[in-house]
Structures are given as structure tokens and as C-alpha cells.
Amino acid sequence: MIRRLQTCLAEHRVSSHLDHPLHVTPLQLFGCGSAAQVTTSQDKNGQYLSINLGFALGVTFGVFVSRGVSGAHLNPAVSLSLCALGRHPWMKLPFYVFFQVMGAFLAAATVGLQYYDAIQAYSGGELTVTGPTATAGIFSTYPAAYLSLWGGVVDQVIGTAALLMCVLALGDQRNSPLPDGLQPVLVGAAVLVIGVSMGSNSGYALNPARDLGPRLFTYIAGWGVDVFKAGGGWWWVPIVAPCVGALLGTLIYMLMIEVHHPSLSELHTSCQEATEEKAGVELEGVKPHCVKPSTKM
């Protein structure tokens, strides 16, 4: 009876092992919330670093919330890379992407509700995408005035490639095994260091869901079609470029790091040799104990 119950529970866990909106919500809630606080207070209640910390800690707690259910799939680009590596089924990818985008949309809507009065006061009641009182950037990324579309693609490819290299390294037990609870913290640290070093060009989206979900919210909530026209039609860059960058970062890590790990047979041989060497050192200098043969029959 107990075995049948365990089997049923295991089957239920496998069948329900899909992402859902709750997983991406902490990332967007804390990230967009910090952006809303900094923007509407005109840098009085935080600065650019506050936004970086908000997104970094949002990733950390998003991983803690969801890793026991879905393995913490917060980013479609990461899910795509895991599918390419054969570590995640392709069949589940569309469902994961859908719920990741939905989670980001709901989180943006929550921030919009929470900061509604502040956004109205700051913008004078006019929801704009560009200009001195623009507020669309609270929710999605937009390029700096000097950045071209091609420059934005390069920016997002490099940033997301760096993110995937860090994520794969942190999860690679044959490279640098880490305590289980430390991995989410270091993933958040990776997002933080990318933000403080690569964030000024376009806001380091690195995540198609993190950008598309809130952009859809702003389109519906009153910012209008300008959220897709601004920046020379920028909206597709944070969707396509992170996927390309994630695959590139995965390829670099596989070719430069993972293929150079010793095989399991080599590890077994080296461990056996180390054990024999240790045994030899322990016996070195110890005289064998000789026992006289007994004369008794």
C-alpha cells in the first residue's frame, strides 16, 4: 500500500512539473517595483543601483520559490538552452514560455496597481513612453538615445551569453560544486554584476518574458501602441537577442569548459589510484607482523 502511494505521488509530481505564473512573479515584482520607486520619487528613494539590487534579489527569491517545483525556470532563454542541452523536454518549452510571460504580466500589473497614484502624480496623468516624465521604462526596457538596433542586439547577446555561462558554471557539479542553498544567491549575484556593468545601453533585459509580459501590460493599461514603436521598433530585440545569446553562452561553456572535464572512467581510475597511494603511505615504514606457524595439528 505504501509503495502504491509513493508511486502515485511520484507520478503526480512528474505530471504537474510545469511552470506557473508564481515563479516569475518575485523577479518582476521586486525588479519593476524598485524601478517604480526610483522613477516616481525622482531618485529620492533609491538610485540606479537600487534597481539592480531589486532585480538581482528578485531572481534570487524567484529561484528559491520555484526550484522545488519546476527547477526555477524564470527565463525562456534559459529554458531554451536547457532544451538544446537535452536537459529539458522540448514538448514542455511552449508551456513554460507561456507561463513565464503570464507571470511577468501579472507582476507588472501588480506594480502598476501598487504605484498607480505615484505614476499618475509623476507623469501628470499622461502615460508616455518617451520624454522627461516617461514611465513605460518602469516595466520594460528601452534603448538609450545613442543605441542603434544592431548595437542593442549585440548588447543583449553578450549580456545573456555571460548570464548563461555563469548559470551553467554554478550548476556544474563537476566544475565547482556548491552548497545547495548558495546557488540561488550566486545566480542573483550574476544578474547584479551584469546589471552594474552592462545595464546602461538598454536596461539588460536578458529575459524575453521579463520584457514582453510587462510590455503587453503597458500596451493594455494606457501607454498604447508606442510601447512597440519606441526605439525604432525596439520591442523584438529583448525577445530574440537573449535567445541567441543564451545559445551562444551555452555553446561557449560546453566547448571551453564542460568537454574538458574528465570522464567518469577517468575519475574512477584517479580515485582508485589515490586510494591505493594513500594506503601505501599509511603502510610505509610499518614492519610486517610475522606469525610463527603453529606446530599443533
Side-chain angles (χ1 to χ4, degrees):
M1 182 67 182
I2 294 177
R3 287 184 178 179
R4 288 182 62 186
L5 179 60
Q6 291 174 337
T7 302
C8 291
L9 289 173
E11 291 176 353
H12 174 71
R13 179 175 177 80
V14 170
S15 65
S16 63
H17 201 266
L18 286 174
D19 220 4
H20 54 74
L22 177 62
H23 294 179
V24 190
T25 301
L27 161 62
Q28 288 300 117
L29 187 64
F30 297 138
C32 291
S34 62
Q37 179 169 287
V38 171
T39 301
T40 58
S41 70
Q42 302 182 56
D43 293 348
K44 294 177 182 177
N45 296 328
Q47 295 178 334
Y48 180 68
L49 181 59
S50 304
I51 300 174
N52 291 322
L53 288 171
F55 276 105
L57 292 174
V59 169
T60 296
F61 288 107
V63 173
F64 274 121
V65 166
S66 63
R67 62 178 181 160
V69 177
S70 74
H73 284 245
L74 309 181
N75 187 336
V78 176
S79 299
L80 174 65
S81 296
L82 293 178
C83 288
L85 289 172
R87 300 176 187 176
H88 189 70
W90 285 98
M91 186 177 297
K92 291 184 178 181
L93 181 62
F95 298 98
Y96 273 64
V97 173
F98 173 78
F99 285 116
Q100 287 160 351
V101 173
M102 181 185 291
F105 177 93
L106 294 175
T110 302
V111 172
L113 177 64
Q114 184 178 19
Y115 279 92
Y116 175 81
D117 292 336
I119 291 173
Q120 291 293 321
Y122 173 77
S123 64
E126 185 179 359
L127 302 178
T128 57
V129 179
T130 58
T133 58
T135 48
I138 290 173
F139 302 95
S140 296
T141 65
Y142 294 88
Y146 58 80
L147 191 69
S148 65
L149 278 179
W150 172 245
V153 170
V154 172
D155 174 77
Q156 287 300 289
V157 167
I158 293 174
T160 314
L163 174 66
L164 260 293
M165 291 177 66
C166 294
V167 168
L168 291 175
L170 293 172
D172 188 353
Q173 294 298 314
R174 297 170 63 193
N175 185 12
S176 54
L178 297 170
D180 188 49
L182 186 58
Q183 291 183 9
V185 177
L186 293 180
V187 171
V191 173
L192 176 61
V193 73
I194 291 172
V196 299
S197 62
M198 306 180 189
S200 62
N201 279 336
S202 62
Y204 73 108
L206 311 178
N207 183 334
R210 167 262 177 278
D211 194 85
L212 180 59
R215 196 177 299 273
L216 291 173
F217 164 73
T218 52
Y219 171 71
I220 294 172
W223 282 263
V225 73
D226 284 347
V227 300
F228 293 104
K229 291 182 177 180
W234 166 262
W235 69 271
W236 64 269
V237 176
I239 298 174
V240 176
C243 294
V244 175
L247 293 174
L248 177 62
T250 300
L251 180 63
I252 292 174
Y253 187 83
M254 295 297 294
L255 293 179
M256 299 298 180
I257 303 296
E258 192 152 323
V259 297
H260 298 288
H261 289 328
S263 63
L264 294 177
S265 58
E266 290 174 340
L267 285 174
H268 178 73
T269 302
S270 62
C271 288
Q272 187 176 6
E273 290 175 352
T275 303
E276 292 174 354
E277 183 179 353
K278 182 178 179 181
V281 170
E282 289 176 350
L283 293 175
E284 187 177 352
V286 179
K287 295 181 180 180
H289 180 69
C290 298
V291 181
K292 289 185 178 181
S294 175
T295 56
K296 293 183 179 179
M297 299 298 296

